């Protein structure tokens, strides 16, 4: 590692947000994975926070797009341009060809992994490696991944929920489902359109999820309603309504149940010894979705296992990806 300095960077390339970890500095960039492009010239107008502010507010010739879908690259050229922007920004404009570690969901194909590595190289990386998201999350959450003891991590991101049991430096059993933060937002948009004839945008749906979203319909009764604005589908005019937390909990219930099923299936695949370790140590939640109200209690009730939220759930994958840079020499031998 000596002499490499800030040339090594770890990237949590998420569907919703991208975080960049620079060796020796920690997380230096945390911005939305959004790019604003001129559809006529293909010129990139803005990236990150600035581009996210444009979602739903752009003229016809400018598109604010999210080049990552369900944890994988949906728009290759735009992803490479976005990566270059974030890498240059993290390294102060001089990318001098860093070695890059990027996380990918545990269920991705070899083709999808190769696309991530190639995009990083196009963006200016000297070498690029991938690490599976739940493994990076476990490292970032401080779990004893190298010990002969079983740990379980559930990383609920924007595009995917990754569930894994980990022991002796490897993933023992895992599940990756495309049910996570984005699907929760979509479910809220659909529910409000169907039940209130009101059209709301992605930003409003995300605000609703953060402020009054609950994994438990029962406990949602204790959360105050929220006033939201959108477009009335009947009159076409702007309209303001109040939405209860119970409505939101009902809207997202199917996604919560899908996450619980993935956790149960992963537990069923593990050995009795690892299952016993998980009961002792509990399940650790990471990612933005971990902050959904009442989620730990709901998962714990369903699995009969204690559930905890990691200390910095949003940063765990990026920290773990960055920490794994210390073993980059081992990866080169593979």
């Amino acid at each position: 590692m000596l002499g490499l300095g800030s040339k090594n960077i770890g990237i949590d390339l998420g569907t919703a947000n991208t975080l960049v970890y620079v060796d020796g500095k920690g997380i230096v960039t945390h911005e939305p994975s959004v790019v604003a492009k001129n559809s006529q010239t293909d010129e990139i107008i803005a990236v990150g926070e600035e581009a996210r502010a444009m979602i739903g507010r752009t003229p016809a010739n400018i598109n604010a797009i999210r080049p990552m879908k369900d944890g994988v690259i949906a728009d290759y050229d735009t992803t490479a341009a976005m990566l270059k922007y974030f890498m240059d920004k993290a390294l102060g404009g001089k990318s001098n060809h860093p070695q890059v570690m990027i996380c990918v969901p545990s269920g991705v194909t070899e083709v999808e992994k190769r696309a991530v590595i190639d995009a990083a190289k196009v963006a200016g990386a000297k070498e690029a490696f991938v690490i599976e998201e739940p493994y990076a999350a476990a490292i970032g959450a401080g779990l004893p991944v190298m010990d002969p003891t079983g740990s379980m991590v559930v990383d609920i991101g924007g595009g995917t929920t990754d569930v894994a049991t980990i022991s002796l430096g490897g993933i023992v059993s895992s599940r990756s489902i495309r049910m996570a933060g984005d699907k929760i937002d979509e479910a809220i948009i659909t529910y409000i359109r169907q039940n209130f004839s009101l059209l709301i945008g992605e930003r409003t749906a995300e605000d609703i999820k953060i402020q009054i979203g609950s994994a438990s319909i029962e406990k949602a009764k204790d959360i105050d309603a929220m006033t939201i604005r959108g477009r009335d589908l009947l009159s076409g005019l702007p309209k303001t309504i109040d939405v209860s937390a119970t409505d939101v909990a009902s809207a997202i219930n199917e996604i919560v149940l899908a996450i619980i099923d993935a956790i149960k299936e992963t537990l069923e695949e593990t050995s009795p010894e690892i299952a016993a370790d998980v009961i002792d140590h509990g399940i650790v939640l990471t990612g933005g979705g971990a902050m959904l109200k009442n989620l730990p209690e709901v998962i714990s009730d369903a699995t009969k296992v204690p559930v905890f939220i990691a200390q910095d759930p949003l940063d765990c994958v990026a920290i773990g990806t960055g920490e794994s840079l210390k073993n980059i020499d081992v990866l080169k031998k593979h």
Side-chain angles (χ1 to χ4, degrees):
M1 290 294 288
L2 287 174
L4 290 171
S6 65
K7 278 192 175 183
N8 285 357
I9 61 176
I11 301 174
D12 172 7
L13 181 62
T15 308
N17 296 290
T18 296
L19 284 76
V20 183
Y21 179 108
V22 175
D23 198 27
K25 291 184 182 172
I27 295 171
V28 295
T29 305
H30 182 165
E31 290 200 47
S33 305
V34 183
V35 178
K37 281 175 91 170
N38 184 317
S39 56
Q40 290 161 354
T41 63
D42 257 4
E43 181 197 351
I44 288 176
I45 313 285
V47 180
E49 203 64 67
E50 200 183 329
R52 182 179 183 265
M54 296 179 183
I55 289 179
R57 297 192 173 101
T58 58
N61 64 328
I62 294 175
N63 294 329
I65 55 172
R66 292 168 61 174
M68 301 291 293
K69 180 103 175 83
D70 297 334
V72 295
I73 294 174
D75 181 331
Y76 182 84
D77 293 338
T78 308
T79 301
M82 180 174 80
L83 272 173
K84 178 164 175 46
Y85 170 85
F86 287 136
M87 282 160 60
D88 288 351
K89 186 174 180 180
L91 296 171
K94 48 182 190 309
S95 66
N96 56 22
H97 304 300
Q99 297 189 98
V100 178
M101 179 79 76
I102 303 186
C103 70
V104 292
S106 57
V108 302
T109 64
E110 287 304 316
V111 174
E112 288 165 339
K113 277 185 191 174
R114 172 55 52 195
V116 170
I117 290 169
D118 289 348
K121 287 182 176 174
V122 168
K126 178 183 169 193
E127 287 180 287
F129 305 91
V130 292
I131 180 172
E132 292 192 6
E133 221 156 286
Y135 190 67
I139 296 171
L143 297 178
V145 293
M146 302 311 287
D147 295 356
T149 177
S151 302
M152 186 170 202
V153 68
V154 180
D155 179 59
I156 309 168
T160 59
T161 293
D162 285 279
V163 185
T165 52
I166 293 161
S167 179
L168 286 169
I171 289 177
V172 180
S173 61
S174 68
R175 281 276 183 290
S176 180
I177 59 166
R178 296 183 174 190
M179 287 276 189
D182 285 356
K183 284 284 191 292
I184 290 176
D185 295 348
E186 284 170 26
I188 292 170
I189 290 171
T190 303
Y191 185 92
I192 288 173
R193 187 178 67 234
Q194 289 173 349
N195 292 272
F196 297 94
S197 296
L198 189 78
L199 196 62
I200 60 166
E202 280 176 35
R203 301 272 314 253
T204 304
E206 193 178 6
D207 288 344
I208 294 168
K209 173 181 70 182
I210 292 166
Q211 291 187 39
I212 64 169
S214 166
S216 163
I217 296 173
E218 189 57 41
K219 291 187 176 169
K221 292 169 185 165
D222 305 330
I223 303 169
D224 291 340
M226 177 178 172
T227 302
I228 62 165
R229 294 175 185 84
R231 181 158 58 82
D232 189 326
L233 286 169
L234 303 175
S235 69
L237 299 172
K239 184 180 170 185
T240 302
I241 61 163
D242 285 342
V243 175
S244 73
T246 314
D247 279 329
V248 178
S250 302
I252 67 176
N253 191 46
E254 195 182 318
I255 295 141
V256 172
L257 294 176
I259 291 169
I260 290 168
D261 283 345
I263 295 168
K264 284 181 174 175
E265 285 167 15
T266 309
L267 279 170
E268 282 163 14
E269 273 181 19
T270 56
S271 67
E273 287 80 7
I274 286 180
D277 290 340
V278 172
I279 290 169
D280 284 347
H281 305 139
I283 297 168
V284 177
L285 304 182
T286 65
M291 292 147 82
L292 183 67
K293 294 175 184 64
N294 305 313
L295 187 60
E297 301 87 64
V298 170
I299 294 173
S300 187
D301 286 347
T303 57
K304 305 292 180 271
V305 176
V307 179
F308 310 98
I309 299 175
Q311 193 175 0
D312 295 304
L314 284 168
D315 298 345
C316 286
V317 172
I319 292 167
T321 306
E323 284 291 320
S324 64
L325 289 167
K326 298 188 173 88
N327 303 318
I328 212 158
D329 296 329
V330 179
L331 287 167
K332 285 181 187 174
K333 296 187 177 83
H334 281 284

